[in-house]
C-alpha cells in the first residue's frame, strides 16, 4: 500500500508540473521576447527629440528655401505681400549665365587649396605634438586652442589690421626687411592678394582642429608596433609609412571630408574681409548667393543659388559615403 501511495503521489506531482508548463510563446519566454522588443525600441525613442529638432531647425528652412527658389520675390512682392510663382526660371537664369559657373570653378579651386594646406600643416603639427615633451606640448596646444576659440569676425578684423595698406604690420615688416615697394601695398586691391589673405585666415583657423585630433589619434597606436619596427631595422620614415599612416588613414580621410564641407561653405571670412571684392572677383558660392539674394534684392535668385550649393555639397557627401562603404567592403 505504501508503495502504491508513493507512486500515486509521484504521478500527481508530475501531473501538476506538466499542467504548470506554459505553451510556447507564453510565460517567461514570452516575457523575455516582449522585453527584448521593448528594449529594441528604446534607441529609436531616444532619437526622436534630436530628429524633431533637426526637422524643425534644418528641414523646415530647407523646404522654405526650396519653395522660395521657384518664386519671383523682389521688394515689390514683399511690400504688396504677393506670391508670384515663376517655375524654374530662376534656375534657368542661374545655370545659363556665365557668372555662376565662374563662381563654381573659383569656389572649387579655393576649397582645394585651403584643404590641402590645412591638412598638410595640421598633420605636421599633430605629429610634432606627439614628439614634443609635456611642457612644450601643453604650450603648443594652448596656442592652438586659443586660435581655434577666437570668433571668426574678430579674427577677420585682426587680419584686416595686419594687412592694412597704410598702417598694417605686414607692410611695415616687409618694408623694414628691404621690400620697400610693399610699404603701401594694397592687399585687397586684386583677386590673388585678397584670396591669399583669406586663405591664410582660414588655414590659420582650421589647423587646430586637424592637429589636435590627429595627435589624439596617435595616442591610440600601440607602442609595441614601433618597437617591432625598430627591431626590424625600420627608420623614422619607414615607421611612419608602415605603422603610423595605416592607423591614421581613416582619420585623415574623414577629416579631409569635413574640411572640404566647412571650407566650401565658408562665408564669414570671405565676406567680412572684402565683401567679395574687388569687383566681385573673390565671391564664392555662399557669398554669391548672399549678394544676389540680399544685396541685389533678388531673393528668389539667391534661394536658387543656395539650393544649388546644397546640391553640390550633397554630391560631395554621396561620394564620400560611397568611398567609405567601398573601403569597409574591401576590409571585410
Amino acid at each position: 500500500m505504501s508503495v502504491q501511495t508513493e507512486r500515486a503521489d509521484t504521478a500527481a506531482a508530475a501531473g501538476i508540473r506538466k499542467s504548470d508548463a506554459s505553451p510556447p510563446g507564453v510565460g517567461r519566454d514570452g516575457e523575455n521576447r516582449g522585453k527584448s522588443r521593448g528594449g529594441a525600441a528604446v534607441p529609436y525613442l531616444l532619437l526622436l527629440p534630436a530628429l524633431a529638432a533637426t526637422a524643425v531647425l534644418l528641414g523646415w528652412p530647407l523646404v522654405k528655401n526650396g519653395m522660395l527658389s521657384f518664386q519671383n520675390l523682389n521688394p515689390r512682392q514683399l511690400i504688396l505681400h504677393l506670391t508670384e510663382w515663376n517655375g524654374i526660371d530662376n534656375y534657368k537664369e542661374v545655370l545659363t549665365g556665365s557668372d555662376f559657373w565662374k563662381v563654381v570653378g573659383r569656389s572649387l579651386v579655393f576649397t582645394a587649396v585651403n584643404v590641402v594646406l590645412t591638412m598638410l600643416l595640421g598633420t605636421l603639427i599633430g605629429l610634432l605634438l606627439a614628439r614634443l615633451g609635456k611642457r612644450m606640448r601643453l604650450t603648443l596646444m594652448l596656442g592652438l586652442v586659443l586660435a581655434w576659440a577666437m570668433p571668426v569676425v574678430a579674427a577677420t578684423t585682426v587680419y584686416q589690421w595686419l594687412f592694412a595698406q597704410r598702417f598694417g604690420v605686414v607692410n611695415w615688416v616687409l618694408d623694414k626687411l628691404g621690400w620697400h615697394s610693399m610699404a603701401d601695398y594694397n592687399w585687397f586691391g586684386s583677386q590673388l592678394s585678397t584670396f591669399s589673405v583669406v586663405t591664410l585666415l582660414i588655414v590659420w583657423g582650421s589647423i587646430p582642429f586637424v592637429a589636435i585630433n590627429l595627435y589624439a589619434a596617435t595616442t591610440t597606436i600601440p607602442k609595441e608596433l614601433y618597437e617591432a619596427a625598430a627591431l626590424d631595422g625600420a627608420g623614422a620614415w619607414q615607421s611612419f609609412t608602415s605603422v603610423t599612416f595605416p592607423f591614421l588613414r581613416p582619420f585623415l580621410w574623414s577629416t579631409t571630408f569635413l574640411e572640404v564641407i566647412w571650407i566650401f561653405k565658408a562665408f564669414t571670412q570671405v565676406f567680412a574681409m572684402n565683401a567679395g571684392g574687388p569687383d566681385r572677383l573673390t565671391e564664392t558660392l555662399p557669398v554669391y548667393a548672399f549678394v544676389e539674394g540680399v544685396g541685389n534684392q533678388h531673393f528668389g535668385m539667391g534661394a536658387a543659388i543656395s539650393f544649388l550649393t546644397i546640391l553640390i555639397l550633397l554630391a560631395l557627401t554621396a561620394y564620400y559615403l560611397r568611398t567609405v562603404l567601398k573601403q569597409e567592403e574591401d576590409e571585410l
Side-chain angles (χ1 to χ4, degrees):
M1 293 296 292
S2 61
V3 175
Q4 292 178 355
T5 303
E6 290 177 359
R7 289 180 179 176
D9 294 339
T10 305
I16 292 173
R17 285 196 295 268
K18 290 181 179 179
S19 62
D20 289 341
S22 301
V26 181
R28 293 182 178 178
D29 293 340
E31 291 177 0
N32 291 335
R33 279 197 289 268
K35 290 181 180 179
S36 64
R37 293 194 190 99
V42 170
Y44 299 99
L45 294 176
L46 295 176
L47 286 175
L48 283 179
L51 293 176
T54 302
V56 172
L57 299 177
L58 295 178
W60 179 243
L62 184 62
V63 172
K64 292 290 290 184
N65 185 78
M67 295 172 60
L68 184 61
S69 66
F70 295 101
Q71 298 177 17
N72 178 28
L73 184 60
N74 294 321
R76 174 178 175 273
Q77 285 75 17
L78 285 176
I79 295 173
L80 298 178
H81 300 283
L82 297 177
T83 302
E84 296 183 5
W85 299 91
N86 60 355
I88 60 174
D89 290 345
N90 291 329
Y91 290 96
K92 284 183 179 179
E93 186 174 350
V94 171
L95 295 175
T96 56
S98 59
D99 292 339
F100 174 76
W101 296 110
K102 290 180 181 178
V103 175
V104 170
R106 185 186 306 149
S107 301
L108 293 176
V109 174
F110 174 75
T111 301
V113 172
N114 279 270
V115 170
V116 170
L117 291 175
T118 299
M119 293 304 301
L120 179 60
L121 297 176
T123 301
L124 293 176
I125 295 176
L127 295 175
L128 177 63
L129 286 171
R131 294 296 186 94
L132 291 176
K134 186 176 181 180
R135 292 183 179 179
M136 289 300 298
R137 183 189 304 124
L138 180 61
T139 303
L140 181 55
M141 290 187 68
L142 179 61
L144 292 173
V145 170
L146 290 176
W148 194 15
M150 180 175 289
V152 177
V153 176
T156 305
T157 304
V158 171
Y159 271 74
Q160 287 176 329
W161 291 344
L162 290 174
F163 290 90
Q165 182 176 0
R166 296 189 60 186
F167 303 105
V169 176
V170 174
N171 287 350
W172 179 81
V173 171
L174 293 176
D175 180 39
K176 293 300 182 181
L177 292 176
W179 286 284
H180 302 295
S181 59
M182 302 296 293
D184 294 322
Y185 183 76
N186 183 12
W187 288 92
F188 306 107
S190 65
Q191 181 186 37
L192 182 59
S193 60
T194 302
F195 265 135
S196 300
V197 178
V198 175
T199 298
L200 184 62
L201 171 61
I202 291 179
V203 172
W204 172 81
S206 301
I207 283 177
F209 173 79
V210 178
I212 294 175
N213 282 278
L214 187 139
Y215 164 70
T218 59
T219 59
T220 63
I221 303 176
K223 295 182 179 180
E224 292 79 5
L225 297 178
Y226 290 107
E227 295 175 357
L231 291 176
D232 292 338
W237 176 251
Q238 292 175 336
S239 297
F240 174 78
T241 56
S242 60
V243 179
T244 307
F245 183 73
F247 271 86
L248 299 181
R249 185 183 301 167
F251 162 80
L252 292 173
W253 179 246
S254 59
T255 306
T256 301
F257 172 71
L258 291 176
E259 289 296 331
V260 168
I261 292 180
W262 289 340
I263 293 175
F264 187 84
K265 66 183 183 66
F267 169 82
T268 307
Q269 297 92 329
V270 181
F271 186 80
M273 186 68 72
N274 201 22
D279 299 326
R280 304 185 65 176
L281 292 176
T282 59
E283 288 182 358
T284 55
L285 275 174
V287 178
Y288 180 61
F290 178 82
V291 172
E292 288 293 330
V294 179
N296 296 335
Q297 296 186 344
H298 297 158
F299 301 104
M301 185 75 66
I305 297 172
S306 63
F307 205 79
L308 291 173
T309 304
I310 294 173
L311 292 179
I312 294 175
L313 290 176
L314 288 177
L316 294 174
T317 304
Y319 174 76
Y320 168 75
L321 293 176
R322 179 183 176 184
T323 305
V324 170
L325 293 176
K326 185 177 180 181
Q327 288 179 350
E328 291 180 353
E329 292 177 356
D330 293 340
E331 291 177 357
L332 293 176

